[in-house]
Amino acid sequence: MGGSQSTQETDFEYAKAWRDTPWGEKGHLEKTLKDFGLCDPNIKHARILVVGEIGAGKSSFINSVNSVFQGRITNEALVNKTTDTSRTFTKLYKTYYIRNGQSLMPFVLTDTMGIESENLHGIHQEDIVKAMEGCIKERYKFNPESPITPQDNSYRSNPSLQDQTYCLVFVIAADKISMAADDNIYKKVKHIKSKADELEIPQVMILTRPDEACPLVKQNIRKVYTSKKIKEKLEECSAHTGISVSHIFPVKCYHEEIDTQDDMDVLILRAFKHIVHMANDALRLKCNEKENSE
Ligand SMILES: Nc1nc2c(ncn2[C@@H]2O[C@H](COP(=O)(O)OP(=O)(O)OP(=O)(O)O)[C@@H](O)[C@H]2O)c(=O)[nH]1
Ligand SMILES: [Mg+2]
C-alpha cells in the first residue's frame, strides 16, 4: 500500500503511519458524502467559511473539493497563478456550490480575502466575525481599512440559518507557516478563533502545500502520514492556534494537475467528511436552540 506500508524509520520518516488513511477507499468516502443529508431537510445548505493567510490555498482548496465531486479539475474560484503573492488575490465574499451530478450538495464553501500581517492590509478580522454571523451579502468587496457596518448595502441585519457559518476552515500553507515568526497574523487568527468559539462554530484546519514542505510527499503523496516534517508542521499549527491535532488535515490541492488522482482525492474527501460532520453537528445545535426558543 505505497506510503502506508511499514518501512524502516529514518531521520525523515516514521516506520508506521501516524494516522490511518483509507487509501483505496475513495469510492466509499465519495458515496458517504454524496448521500449525506443535513439534520434539517428544510435547510438548503450549511455554510463552510474558508479563511486564512494570503496565498495559503483557500481558493485552491475550494476548487479541489469541487474537482473531486466533478471527477475533473475545476477552477471556479480564481487562484493566484502569478509570481506576485505579496497581496491577497481574492477580494470578494463569494460562495461556491458543490455539484453532485445534476443536483447540488447541501453544503456551500465561502471564499474570503486573505489575512495579512500588517493592519490596513488583507481582510479585516471583524469582517470574518460578521461573515460567521451571516451578516455579509454575496459578492461583498472586502475593505481592509474598515470592517462592514450596518449602513453598508451588503450588510444583512437579519441573517437566516442558511446565512450563518457552521464550520470555520482555517487554511495554512505547510511550507510557509509564518505564524510562529509573525506575531500579528498569529494574533488575528487567535482573535478569530476565540470569536468562533463564542459563536459555537467548530473549526478545522487544512494544511495545504504538503508537497512543497516535504520532498517525500512531493515524490509520493501517501507519505503524508509517515513524514516527520508534516507531523512537525501539524503540531506547530496546533500549538500556535489551539486547534487540536485531530482537527488538522494535510491536503495537497489541485494546482498543476490535468486530471484528478485517487490518492489526492482521498485526502481531500477525508478532510471534507470531517468538515461536513462538524458543520452538521453545529447546525443541529442551532436548530434545537431555535426550536426551544419558539
Ligand atoms: N504545490 C502546491 N501548490 C498549491 C497547493 N495549494 C495551492 N497551491 C498554490 O498556491 C498558490 C496560492 O493559492 P490560492 O488558492 O490562490 O491561495 P489563496 O489562499 O486563495 O490566496 P489569496 O486569495 O491571495 O488570499 C497558487 O499558486 C496555487 O496553485 C498545494 O497543495 N500544493
Ligand atoms: Mg484566494
Side-chain angles (χ1 to χ4, degrees):
M1 284 282 283
S4 58
Q5 222 170 31
S6 269
T7 51
Q8 200 82 36
E9 178 162 345
T10 68
D11 285 350
F12 309 104
E13 194 178 5
Y14 293 106
K16 208 174 165 297
W18 43 272
R19 188 183 280 175
D20 284 335
T21 308
W23 305 116
E25 285 187 31
K26 181 194 149 185
H28 176 68
L29 275 168
E30 197 175 352
K31 185 170 182 326
T32 311
L33 280 160
K34 283 185 169 175
D35 293 346
F36 199 96
L38 289 181
C39 57
D40 183 341
N42 296 319
I43 310 267
K44 262 201 276 179
H45 55 241
R47 185 176 306 275
I48 295 153
L49 188 70
V50 183
V51 303
E53 200 178 343
I54 54 164
K58 300 176 289 298
S59 306
S60 301
F61 177 66
I62 293 174
N63 286 336
S64 298
V65 171
N66 243 321
S67 298
V68 179
F69 290 104
Q70 297 286 296
R72 64 179 178 88
I73 305 295
T74 63
N75 291 301
E76 265 185 71
L78 293 181
V79 165
N80 189 4
K81 288 291 172 194
T82 69
T83 46
D84 179 13
T85 52
S86 61
R87 288 285 173 250
T88 178
F89 192 70
T90 304
K91 298 193 170 55
L92 301 181
Y93 173 95
K94 198 161 171 210
T95 298
Y96 296 89
Y97 293 80
I98 309 159
R99 279 185 217 99
N100 172 12
Q102 293 306 308
S103 52
L104 294 175
M105 288 184 72
F107 298 96
V108 292
L109 290 156
T110 300
D111 201 2
T112 56
M113 186 184 213
I115 302 171
E116 297 194 36
S117 84
E118 299 156 64
N119 291 330
L120 306 182
H121 288 289
I123 191 167
H124 199 290
Q125 58 189 25
E126 292 313 321
D127 275 342
I128 297 184
V129 179
K130 288 291 163 220
M132 289 194 285
E133 291 172 343
C135 298
I136 298 189
K137 289 187 188 163
E138 202 50 27
R139 297 193 67 83
Y140 170 66
K141 189 166 189 288
F142 292 107
N143 175 5
E145 287 175 16
S146 57
I148 193 166
T149 64
Q151 286 71 44
D152 200 294
N153 283 342
S154 293
Y155 192 90
R156 185 186 287 113
S157 310
N158 293 308
S160 71
L161 282 176
Q162 260 165 217
D163 300 321
Q164 297 168 33
T165 293
Y166 296 98
C167 186
L168 179 67
V169 174
F170 283 107
V171 176
I172 292 191
D175 63 326
K176 22 185 186 180
I177 297 176
S178 55
M179 284 194 295
D182 189 332
D183 233 19
N184 214 21
I185 290 229
Y186 175 49
K187 260 194 228 148
K188 288 183 183 181
V189 169
K190 280 248 176 174
H191 174 78
I192 296 159
K193 187 190 180 306
S194 77
K195 290 288 178 183
D197 287 338
E198 274 172 33
L199 294 164
E200 296 183 305
I201 297 171
Q203 302 122 40
V204 171
M205 187 168 273
I206 300 294
L207 197 64
T208 56
R209 302 171 58 101
D211 51 316
E212 294 297 331
C214 173
L216 289 174
V217 177
K218 201 176 193 110
Q219 272 174 15
N220 178 0
I221 193 167
R222 290 196 179 191
K223 303 250 179 193
V224 77
Y225 286 123
T226 50
S227 158
K228 289 188 174 175
K229 179 69 133 213
I230 298 298
K231 186 160 187 278
E232 217 175 82
K233 297 277 178 194
L234 226 95
E235 284 163 357
E236 204 180 312
C237 280
S238 174
H240 288 306
T241 59
I243 293 179
S244 144
V245 165
S246 60
H247 296 323
I248 308 181
F249 293 83
V251 166
K252 184 181 169 199
C253 295
Y254 285 112
H255 65 288
E256 58 179 14
E257 295 73 10
I258 295 166
D259 297 308
T260 56
Q261 295 169 12
D262 284 356
D263 286 345
M264 282 177 74
D265 283 356
V266 164
L267 284 185
I268 297 163
L269 285 168
R270 191 172 193 227
F272 193 60
K273 185 176 152 201
H274 191 80
I275 291 169
V276 153
H277 277 284
M278 291 189 93
N280 198 36
D281 289 346
L283 176 66
R284 187 179 296 113
L285 208 76
K286 278 270 156 68
C287 289
N288 289 347
E289 270 172 20
K290 194 164 180 252
E291 231 169 69
N292 292 339
S293 68
E294 279 168 1

